[in-house]
């Protein structure tokens, strides 16, 4: 049978991009629900779906109910939803940080449909390059979700809850923390009247190298060289930034240990 | 007059790319020196220059002597060089980590020609996008170096030693440390039989966003949201990696302080 009709719950960044990707893949989005009327009405219009602002208006006639809502809203939305559509519908959330079993008390046909990317509405992304990680309680649903994901992306993975938790943790290191290092760099530069523009090409190239190489083999800098003179000079230069100094020390030590 | 004839000392990654970029810009590289005969002979051939393996063979007939050697070799190479070519030549090093005055004892016409990028021979780069940071002791040399850099790159900056030191330090955060975070992410994934391929698109997109936005405004994740439940869960998941746990804690604190 497969998944042909989807109800999209949530019109935030993930809902916005998933809605458009599903439409492009030829999937019918029958309804878009959101409490925030304005932006969800816009999304509904863009992807040719009915807009609803009350969960009681959700039509049970859909193959998948996709919950692209904040992590802490998943449970309450699912509860309201099954009150209305019953316990036999396939319900998935899209969160990397939330176990799949948060939904199993509401339906045996629970799952996760997790696109692993940092999404913001302003920026168009090529969805085919975004890894989609699938988890499902029932084998038949897993197959259907896999087939659906494959229509959107060329990188689909079936993973379990433990793997998804690790993936989310690793993404915090790779995205959130590296982004913060860019913020620190910008602050250091600003203090010398220098713009981050000086480092933007370096940041781009660092990420480009990782696309085809292992980061371990690309590690450069004073720590991996064991250049203690430079490290000492840098720590001295950071004396007015005790917090950044600590980060410098800890990451340098970790580089020396792991390389 | 300007700089038309360059002697290139060093045939490592920086020398390799600089040599090619200079040639493309129409600059004549008269000689390439390196102690490592094999790779420098290859470079010399590629950029149509004479190859020499003895500093005493350097011809004084050049507008610029460019020292693209390891940081700790700059001083000794400069000393041998001026013994031979005299004290009136323009000599620049290419190091972000080394003050310009390391050369002033050898010549009053000292300077720095610092391309700010992570360069490896295997990877072709678009030199026009690489920021080049210029420092010079004499005003006339500064102008000539600026003009030369402009022929290679569309992003040329005149900076002083304090600024270059800060720039180098900031680059350690933006490049070396973020690369190490990618290594940590890969290790965490490997323990759950997951490939870094799952995060490669995220890493690419994180860097792409920084090309047009400030990293501060792009910060996402549990720390900036103040999502203590997720932070606690992540710290627990890292209990077997005390070192990564410490890094997680420190960077999360720093994100919360700075956003």
């Amino acid at each position: 049978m497969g998944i042909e009709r989807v109800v999209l719950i949530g019109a935030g960044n993930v809902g916005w991009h998933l809605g458009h990707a599903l439409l492009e893949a030829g999937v019918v989005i029958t309804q878009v629900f959101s409490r925030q009327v304005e932006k969800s009405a816009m999304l509904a219009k863009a992807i040719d779906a009915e807009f609803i602002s009350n969960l009681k208006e959700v039509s049970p006639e859909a193959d998948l109910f996709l919950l692209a809502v904040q992590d802490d809203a998943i449970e309450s939305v699912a509860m309201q939803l099954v009150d209305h559509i019953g316990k036999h519908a396939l319900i998935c959330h899209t969160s990397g940080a939330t176990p799949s079993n948060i939904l199993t008390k509401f339906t045996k046909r629970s799952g996760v449909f997790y696109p692993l990317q940092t999404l913001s509405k302003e920026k168009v992304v090529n969805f085919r390059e975004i890894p989609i990680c699938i988890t499902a309680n029932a084998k038949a649903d897993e197959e259907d979700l896999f087939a659906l994901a494959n229509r959107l992306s060329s990188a689909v993975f079936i993973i379990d809850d433990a793997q998804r938790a690790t993936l989310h943790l690793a993404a915090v290191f790779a995205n959130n923390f590296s982004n913060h290092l860019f913020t620190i760099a910008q602050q250091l530069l600003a203090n010398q009247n220098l713009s981050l523009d000086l480092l933007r090409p370096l940041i781009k190239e660092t990420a480009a190298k990782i696309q085809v190489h292992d980061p371990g083999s690309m590690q450069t800098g004073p720590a991996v060289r064991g250049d203690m003179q430079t490290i000492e000079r840098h720590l001295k230069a950071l004396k007015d930034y005790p917090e950044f100094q600590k980060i410098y020390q800890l990451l340098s030590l970790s580089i020396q240990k792991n390389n």
Side-chain angles (χ1 to χ4, degrees), chain A residues 26 32-33 82 95 104 108 128 140 156 209 212 234-235 257:
Chain A
V32 172
F33 163 84
V82 292
S95 162
T104 45
K108 280 196 173 126
R128 288 220 68 77
V156 183
K209 282 189 173 176
V212 286
H234 282 167
L235 288 174
K257 260 194 193 165

Side-chain angles (χ1 to χ4, degrees), chain A residues 4-201:
Chain A
E4 292 301 335
R5 294 160 62 86
V6 173
V7 170
L8 183 58
I9 314 281
N13 290 328
V14 174
W16 179 269
H17 283 282
L18 263 180
H20 281 87
L22 287 165
L23 180 75
E24 263 180 57
V27 177
V28 176
I29 299 138
T30 55
Q31 297 178 313
V32 172
F33 163 84
S34 171
R35 243 160 289 184
Q36 283 151 293
V37 175
E38 206 169 315
K39 61 178 180 177
S40 46
M42 200 164 77
L43 172 59
K45 202 179 161 188
I47 61 175
D48 210 16
E50 182 194 357
F51 164 64
I52 55 174
S53 60
N54 184 335
L55 280 173
K56 293 208 161 63
E57 296 169 48
V58 166
S59 153
E61 302 299 312
D63 306 316
L64 167 65
F65 298 84
L66 200 51
L67 271 50
V69 298
Q70 300 284 341
D71 293 2
D72 54 10
I74 294 172
E75 207 167 346
S76 75
V77 169
M79 190 163 62
Q80 293 172 65
L81 200 59
V82 292
D83 265 356
H84 175 59
I85 61 171
K87 285 175 165 289
H88 300 288
L90 173 56
I91 305 179
C92 291
H93 70 67
T94 59
S95 162
T98 311
S100 62
N101 65 19
I102 197 175
L103 295 174
T104 45
K105 54 187 146 188
F106 305 116
T107 172
K108 280 196 173 126
R109 299 185 56 209
S110 63
V112 183
F113 195 91
Y114 170 40
L116 209 171
Q117 186 51 283
T118 164
L119 300 165
S120 40
K121 270 180 202 160
E122 306 74 38
K123 196 157 182 308
V124 177
V125 292
N126 180 358
F127 221 93
R128 288 220 68 77
E129 288 175 4
I130 298 180
I132 299 180
C133 300
I134 296 294
T135 311
N137 198 37
K139 192 72 193 167
D141 290 331
E142 182 184 285
E143 281 168 17
D144 283 348
L145 289 169
F146 188 90
L148 178 69
N150 246 326
R151 289 166 68 179
L152 273 58
S153 165
S154 46
V156 183
F157 302 84
I158 295 175
I159 62 175
D160 61 29
D161 273 4
Q163 286 178 313
R164 196 176 51 260
T166 295
L167 201 46
H168 186 255
L169 172 59
V172 169
F173 279 89
N175 168 282
N176 303 165
F177 289 168
S178 66
N179 188 75
H180 183 56
L181 295 178
F182 305 152
T183 302
I184 293 175
Q186 188 175 32
Q187 282 185 32
L188 296 172
L189 292 175
N191 247 34
Q192 282 281 349
N193 298 312
L194 295 169
S195 157
L196 186 66
D197 283 346
L198 277 155
L199 291 184
R200 285 193 157 103

Side-chain angles (χ1 to χ4, degrees), chain A residues 219-231:
Chain A
Q219 190 63 54
T220 56
V224 73
R225 280 201 311 272
D227 177 353
M228 295 314 290
Q229 240 183 317
T230 301
I231 291 175

